[in-house]
Amino acid sequence: MLAYGFMQRAILAGLFIGLACAVLGIFLILRRDAMIGHGLAHVTFGAVALGLFLKVSPLLAALAVAVLCAFGVVKLRKKAGLYGDTAIGIFSSFGMATGVVLASLAGSFNVDLLSYLFGNILAIEMAEVLLAIILAMVVLFVIVLFYQELLYITFDPESAKTAGIHVTRLDSVIAILTAVTVVLGMKVVGLLLVAALLVIPSAAGLQVSGSFRQAVWLSSTIATCSIMTGLFVAFYWDLPASGTIVLSSLVIFVIFFSVRVMRRRKTSILKGFNNQ
Amino acid sequence: MALNVGKQPLVSVEEVFFSFGTAQVLVDVTFSIMPDDFLAIIGPNGSGKTTLLKIILGILRPVSGVVRLMGEDVKHFSRWERIGYVPQKATHIDPFFPASVREVVAMGLLSKKKFPRLVKHHDEKAIDEALERVNMRKLKNRRIGELSGGQQQRVFIARAIVNNPDILFLDEPTAGVDAEGQSQFYDTLDKLNRMHGITVVLITHDIGIITRHARKVACLNQRLVFHGTHEDFCSSAIVQEILRGDYHLVCHRH
Ligand SMILES: Nc1ncnc2c1ncn2[C@@H]1O[C@H](COP(=O)(O)OP(=O)(O)OP(=O)(O)O)[C@@H](O)[C@H]1O
Ligand SMILES: [Mg+2]
């Protein structure tokens, strides 16, 4: 299967996007922002429709709007005291509503619009592969550069301030990275896949990790395995790749979740034994 | 006080007012903290102790008034490596957060690093030493959420002292720690204060701690109702009533 050009492109794009999502996802989950990927994807839907309606590049429109909304979610939560998921709910409804109205004003649902929603990783072009690689490199580079600070503000934002860390600035960095990942990721692999890759591999890795470093490596490995397995299954059984990748990652999640539950049962039995 | 004559205060709080919305929390608070002090801040629940500490550390901005850390307005303060902070909620961390003890202590090192702030191989020694001082070195590679409340508290103290700060702020650090853990903990604090010359600022509800360890006392109830040496605190008429366990009333009356 590796001999086919389209498979090579799918694997490359998938792995790079998957890695960026897995690492970013850990921070998002621990900051209780796991749904921001889904929320921004909805907003992006509205923005793409806006771009098509105004005849400007849908990708640029989507990027601009997604970055603004990511900031909006952070601000609404901080300043207006809304829960993160409430803020995300408000923005994503707004995005979907705008998208539907604009699409109808534009005459019909454009085919382009649907391709953003359900991208096809097996049909991507070389240009999109390059986009995926550059995006992932930028995201991973920024995270490596600010790794310690990001860990600190995720764990304990108030104390982070007393270490001279610019917490608000880094909140914005995460918001921008997430927005860019969702929008470009959607363009390459579609909404379903990018939103799932932001949550599931990281959630699986977090089940059993004893340190943050371990969580990063484990989530990256899980993302890689899910993408390879998913593409393999899609290729041999002729199934939609985005679906098989998400399902593979879910299988891995269930395995890790069970490991954690069994581990905990074991320790509580031991504790009960010791207490007697 | 006589001991401190001629020294610069480490912290000076000048006419600080603070409110959350319309609710007044701090009214005209002025005092200073000298080098080598062991200051206990007491006061009833909701009297503004945590708020005052957060203002001193620049986490919250006062409505009016100025805070100076080591002579510098906290707004522009940059020598954070000289400050250690153990927050009140330290024991309420997410039990599933995947951070090892080592990683939590390493966070403390960031304040003395310049961009890019990476934890290097030679930082390992500082981490080990800090953990050694709170007797937690053996648990270095455990996940913080797996430890008991008292053990977690020690890790947060290790994080606060890993840079050998000049001043250590602790907000009810032993809430929920057992009696033995508490006495060990305060012995450690005493040692840091006397042997390593670290200034300690401690928020507590435990009157026993004040009588045994603190050399200065500040009593807060929106206003600063008492601020002075431990001796003044004990010899004043207040203390009799305190020993009757009714210090809220006392603080109002002063
Ligand atoms: N985020 C907040 N928003 C609004 N009001 C607040 C907030 N945090 C604290 N307060 C109010 O400020 C006052 C002082 O709170 P603070 O936490 O400083 O008290 P404290 O002296 O530390 O109490 P405790 O002994 O319970 O820790 C309280 O009346 C509280 O209701
Ligand atoms: Mg408090």
Side-chain angles (χ1 to χ4, degrees):
Chain A
M1 85 180 196
L2 291 176
Y4 294 95
F6 74 91
M7 274 312 274
Q8 293 167 357
R9 288 195 295 275
I11 289 172
L12 264 181
L15 286 184
F16 275 92
I17 298 249
L19 282 180
C21 287
V23 178
L24 194 54
I26 298 172
F27 292 100
L28 296 179
I29 290 177
L30 293 171
R31 290 158 57 92
R32 305 286 182 275
D33 267 344
M35 288 309 289
I36 201 170
H38 283 84
L40 285 178
H42 286 95
V43 169
T44 308
F45 172 79
V48 169
L50 180 73
L52 293 172
F53 182 72
L54 296 176
K55 309 242 180 329
V56 297
S57 155
L59 201 61
L60 286 183
L63 260 181
V65 173
V67 169
L68 282 179
C69 285
F71 271 116
V73 168
V74 172
K75 282 272 176 293
L76 262 188
R77 194 179 42 187
K78 277 240 165 100
K79 295 268 147 70
L82 283 183
Y83 291 115
D85 46 0
T86 312
I88 291 167
I90 290 170
F91 272 101
S92 64
S93 311
F94 172 68
M96 283 305 266
T98 318
V100 170
V101 169
L102 288 176
S104 128
L105 283 179
S108 67
F109 275 93
N110 197 300
V111 186
D112 268 9
L113 196 52
L114 293 180
S115 83
Y116 278 96
L117 287 179
F118 310 103
N120 185 357
I121 192 174
L122 291 175
I124 61 179
E125 296 151 14
M126 205 54 212
E128 289 171 323
V129 175
L130 283 180
L131 184 65
I133 293 176
I134 293 170
L135 160 72
M137 296 292 232
V138 170
V139 170
L140 292 173
F141 182 69
V142 173
I143 289 178
V144 167
L145 217 51
F146 293 104
Y147 176 82
Q148 295 292 342
E149 284 106 315
L150 289 172
L151 169 56
Y152 204 165
I153 68 163
T154 305
F155 183 66
D156 185 351
E158 282 196 343
S159 304
K161 241 182 184 169
T162 67
I165 294 173
H166 298 283
V167 179
T168 334
R169 213 179 285 172
L170 284 174
D171 280 348
S172 308
V173 168
I174 292 198
I176 293 173
L177 288 183
T178 311
V180 173
T181 305
V182 167
V183 173
L184 298 188
M186 247 173 101
K187 169 77 182 149
V188 180
V189 295
L191 155 99
L192 174 64
L193 199 48
V194 78
L197 286 175
L198 267 177
V199 179
I200 304 172
S202 328
L206 286 173
Q207 296 304 313
V208 296
S209 296
S211 72
F212 203 80
R213 178 186 290 264
Q214 206 182 344
V216 170
W217 288 114
L218 204 52
S219 304
S220 308
T221 313
I222 292 168
T224 308
C225 292
S226 316
I227 284 156
M228 294 307 285
T229 318
L231 285 174
F232 182 84
V233 171
F235 182 80
Y236 283 104
W237 281 275
D238 196 19
L239 293 166
S242 43
T244 55
I245 292 173
V246 174
L247 290 176
S248 318
S249 67
L250 276 170
V251 170
I252 301 179
F253 174 82
V254 170
I255 294 172
F256 279 87
F257 182 75
S258 319
V259 168
R260 193 189 95 200
V261 171
M262 282 187 314
R263 251 197 214 168
R264 197 166 343 130
R265 203 163 287 164
K266 208 156 102 197
T267 46
S268 56
I269 288 171
L270 278 179
K271 264 186 200 156
F273 186 74
N274 288 338
N275 286 343
Q276 276 172 3
Chain B
M1 277 296 199
L3 268 174
N4 288 324
V5 169
K7 284 193 199 166
Q8 280 284 320
L10 275 179
V11 179
S12 67
V13 176
E14 297 160 19
E15 292 164 31
V16 162
F17 287 73
F18 186 82
S19 50
F20 279 111
T22 53
Q24 284 278 0
V25 176
L26 294 174
V27 179
D28 196 12
V29 175
T30 301
F31 71 107
S32 48
I33 302 170
M34 299 309 254
D36 302 334
D37 271 359
F38 193 128
L39 171 73
I41 301 178
I42 59 169
N45 291 131
S47 57
K49 304 181 296 296
T50 299
T51 306
L52 176 62
L53 202 57
K54 287 184 179 173
I55 289 174
I56 291 176
L57 291 166
I59 296 170
L60 294 173
R61 287 264 170 98
V63 173
S64 68
V66 185
V67 172
R68 286 181 215 288
L69 289 180
M70 300 166 182
E72 198 177 342
D73 191 328
V74 66
K75 274 185 267 179
H76 313 296
F77 186 74
S78 58
R79 289 171 287 164
W80 289 108
E81 73 281 0
R82 301 177 65 183
I83 308 280
Y85 171 46
V86 181
Q88 179 168 20
K89 61 170 173 30
T91 47
H92 308 306
I93 58 157
D94 172 2
F96 298 112
F97 198 101
S100 62
V101 167
R102 187 197 154 276
E103 285 174 323
V104 173
V105 179
M107 292 173 191
L109 288 167
L110 298 191
S111 51
K112 70 168 181 216
K113 293 181 181 293
K114 303 242 166 353
F115 179 83
R117 310 200 214 201
L118 306 171
V119 175
K120 304 258 173 55
H121 194 67
H122 62 257
D123 291 323
E124 231 42 63
K125 209 174 130 233
I127 295 173
D128 285 344
E129 275 172 18
L131 283 170
E132 193 68 63
R133 281 207 243 163
V134 293
N135 239 323
M136 287 289 296
R137 181 138 171 211
K138 279 199 229 80
L139 301 178
K140 186 178 173 188
N141 292 314
R142 289 278 290 280
R143 193 163 56 81
I144 181 92
E146 293 171 353
L147 306 182
S148 74
Q151 291 174 324
Q152 288 176 3
Q153 205 68 34
R154 288 172 195 225
V155 176
F156 282 98
I157 292 158
R159 180 178 78 179
I161 61 176
V162 69
N163 288 324
N164 292 312
D166 297 339
I167 182 164
L168 192 54
F169 295 93
L170 308 111
D171 195 344
E172 294 186 37
T174 50
V177 177
D178 62 32
E180 194 192 339
Q182 287 207 17
S183 72
Q184 272 179 28
F185 170 73
Y186 286 107
D187 289 344
T188 313
L189 271 193
D190 265 344
K191 207 164 78 189
L192 289 173
N193 180 242
R194 286 173 209 278
M195 286 165 56
H196 299 268
I198 296 180
T199 305
V200 175
V201 179
L202 172 77
I203 294 179
T204 182
H205 285 290
D206 188 338
I207 294 296
I209 299 307
I210 300 168
T211 45
R212 280 193 299 274
H213 302 278
R215 285 203 296 277
K216 297 260 183 71
V217 181
C219 181
L220 199 67
N221 195 2
Q222 291 199 343
R223 294 170 180 280
L224 191 65
V225 287
F226 177 88
H227 178 231
T229 62
H230 171 242
E231 288 74 26
D232 288 347
F233 184 71
C234 291
S235 61
S236 65
I238 302 171
V239 82
Q240 269 71 38
E241 297 187 53
I242 288 167
L243 294 179
R244 268 193 263 136
D246 198 1
Y247 80 95
H248 298 188
L249 193 93
V250 171
C251 294
H252 281 296
R253 205 182 279 173
H254 190 88

